[in-house]
Amino acid sequence: MFEHIPAYPGDPILSLNEDFQLDPRPNKVNLSIGIYFDDAGKLPVMDAVRRAESALLDAIGPRSYLPMAGLPLYRETAQSLVFGANSEARAAGRIATLQTIGGSGALKVGADFLRRYFPASQIWISDPSWENHRVVFEGAGLTVNTYPYYDEATGGLRFADMIDAIGRLPERSVVLLHACCHNPTGVDLSAAQWAELVPVLQRRQLIAFVDMAYQGFGAGLEEDAACVRMLAEADVPLIAANSFSKNFSLYGERCGALSVVCKNADEASRVLGQLMSTVRANYSNPPTHGARLVANVLSDTSLRASWEAELATMRERILAMRGTIHAGLAGRVDEVMRARYVAQRGMFTYTGLTESQVERLRNEHAVYVLRSGRMCVAGLNARNADYVASSIAAAVSGA
Ligand code: LMR
């Protein structure tokens, strides 16, 4: 019966991470998957999360089904974090927000919703984008196209080409944008560039679908969400997916949210209902544990302050590692390649390494980056950064 099923070629990120786990070499370095490791190379359990979890264990009680839309306090706190506590759209009750199974779950629920209610619309993602964007949207039946984004020659943004392409899209097209810490390139729009993009989206009557998986890892929690708030204030039709995997270090708990900003509260309640029906059709309702942790941290003054402070430390450590690898590569690779480590920001740098250099890094030095050349700089630490720099130098020179 199943003879015709072809082998799964694997996922460029998750399968590589699994290969890394199986690699027996003691000097191996994982710079592939977007996971933040601390300076000891360990996956942190954030102090606020640990404290919230201890409190929860004492009061855990029975675990019934959550509502299809998720835990109410989680939805409320997630919405506030994304749109700002004083957002006008929030006050007007015109944002439909629901808990999802991670950021990927948010994309999938949003994709199913778009496919159902905008059947003629296609989606445009950046070139390049996170590999799974195409997979999720095509899986939901949407046609996925790309707009110009990354300039390989400079390691920067092709902003004029991007604006030009978006300015010519058919009305009601969907444009997938990364709020901050662009995955995979680490190249973001400046505030001025966002301000230039907003009227183009308005004029062409496009739907902005913003993916925010790294809030807090760029410039700060508020700064990283500024573009979402700018779009909401400008009344651009807006769908926002956010994730707590990275900024709570809660990868396996799959905590995400999807928000749709509507014209008024009535529209928001109808949209929420249809999102709930999508959830019911996919997985009925989301799980409880991680959502309770996130909601309890975000709604408690002391836990929240601790979480924000620890997140700031993580952000600063990434910046410091960018400086360290940049210094370590001095005189070893050309300046255009080297400059990217400090010019780009967030968890990722698009190193400019070719596929064969990436392969050499892995095979000869046990240093794992994605085939595309994406490096997760959050996997660097004081002990491995020099080794990674000399491995890159060797892989680039072919030595
Ligand atoms: C990544 O880009 O490495 C992460 O978002 C993990 C994933 O699911 O791909």
Side-chain angles (χ1 to χ4, degrees):
M1 186 62 83
F2 303 119
E3 258 170 18
H4 63 292
I5 310 293
Y8 175 45
D11 178 81
I13 300 174
L14 300 184
S15 303
L16 187 63
N17 188 50
E18 285 163 19
D19 290 350
F20 175 85
Q21 308 306 329
L22 298 174
D23 190 328
R25 291 174 287 181
N27 58 339
K28 62 182 179 177
V29 183
N30 192 0
L31 307 176
S32 62
I33 194 164
I35 291 184
Y36 175 92
F37 295 100
D38 64 18
D39 203 51
K42 296 267 183 299
L43 189 63
V45 178
M46 296 179 83
D47 194 54
V49 171
R50 198 192 298 277
R51 279 158 58 200
E53 194 148 40
S54 305
L56 195 57
L57 285 179
D58 290 336
I60 201 141
R63 259 165 281 191
S64 185
Y65 291 123
L66 282 184
M68 288 175 278
L71 189 71
L73 183 62
Y74 176 92
R75 294 169 52 211
E76 164 65 26
T77 48
Q79 188 185 84
S80 171
L81 191 71
V82 172
F83 293 91
N86 302 319
S87 135
E88 172 281 320
R90 257 169 60 69
R94 59 187 185 87
I95 310 179
T97 297
L98 85 173
Q99 179 188 337
T100 56
I101 303 202
S104 298
L107 295 171
K108 166 68 174 154
V109 172
D112 281 355
F113 171 79
L114 286 170
R115 178 75 185 127
R116 183 152 174 211
Y117 290 101
F118 298 84
S121 295
Q122 302 188 1
I123 187 164
W124 271 258
I125 63 175
S126 59
D127 177 22
S129 198
W130 179 47
E131 273 98 340
N132 212 32
H133 279 146
R134 177 176 290 281
V135 176
V136 169
F137 287 102
E138 283 184 349
L142 276 92
T143 301
V144 179
N145 312 282
T146 58
Y147 57 82
Y149 192 82
Y150 185 67
D151 187 350
E152 182 53 50
T154 63
L157 184 63
R158 292 172 60 190
F159 184 65
D161 294 339
M162 171 183 174
I163 283 277
D164 179 59
I166 292 175
R168 285 186 283 107
L169 297 185
E171 280 179 11
R172 294 160 78 88
S173 294
V174 185
V175 183
L176 194 287
L177 298 155
H178 301 228
C180 59
C181 311
H182 184 270
N183 182 2
T185 68
V187 176
D188 288 334
L189 273 67
S190 67
Q193 288 169 330
W194 278 108
E196 222 177 298
L197 176 63
V198 166
V200 177
L201 297 167
Q202 281 170 325
R203 180 165 49 78
R204 295 300 309 150
Q205 297 192 36
L206 304 174
I207 299 171
F209 196 141
V210 179
D211 188 359
M212 182 157 64
Y214 298 92
Q215 187 178 4
F217 281 94
L221 282 168
E222 300 297 313
E223 295 86 338
D224 292 349
C227 59
V228 179
R229 297 166 190 185
M230 191 190 284
L231 289 162
E233 273 162 31
D235 284 332
V236 172
L238 174 61
I239 304 178
N242 76 289
S243 165
F244 295 111
S245 295
K246 333 276 173 175
N247 56 16
F248 269 78
S249 193
L250 274 178
Y251 304 85
E253 293 292 348
R254 312 307 296 132
C255 293
L258 181 72
S259 300
V260 182
V261 183
C262 302
K263 208 161 50 191
N264 52 47
D266 176 58
E267 195 176 280
S269 116
R270 282 180 282 116
V271 166
L272 182 66
Q274 292 306 332
L275 296 174
M276 283 157 50
S277 89
T278 306
V279 165
R280 179 63 166 152
N282 274 298
Y283 51 85
S284 277
N285 39 50
T288 50
H289 188 71
R292 285 179 175 171
L293 296 178
V294 170
N296 291 353
V297 169
L298 289 179
S299 60
D300 178 284
T301 313
S302 140
L303 293 179
R304 181 164 178 146
S306 154
W307 170 68
E308 288 192 14
E310 193 167 349
L311 182 57
T313 309
M314 292 156 84
R315 178 170 64 243
E316 282 152 21
R317 200 191 79 75
I318 292 177
L319 263 182
M321 284 303 112
R322 286 184 173 281
T324 304
I325 185 102
H326 181 254
L329 286 170
R332 291 169 136 173
V333 298
D334 70 60
E335 282 307 303
V336 176
M337 183 178 252
R338 193 168 85 95
R340 297 166 187 211
Y341 292 91
V342 285
Q344 301 172 353
R345 69 175 181 176
M347 268 202 186
F348 305 117
T349 282
Y350 225 37
T351 58
L353 293 167
T354 63
E355 265 189 51
S356 62
Q357 290 166 344
V358 166
E359 232 163 79
R360 214 173 302 144
L361 260 186
R362 186 173 67 242
N363 295 341
E364 294 168 21
H365 305 277
V367 174
Y368 283 64
V369 303
L370 297 191
R371 183 175 293 275
S372 64
R374 186 193 84 172
M375 172 192 288
C376 177
V377 282
L380 292 170
N381 58 48
R383 283 169 302 110
N384 67 23
D386 281 348
Y387 174 68
V388 170
S390 59
S391 303
I392 290 176
V396 167
S397 71

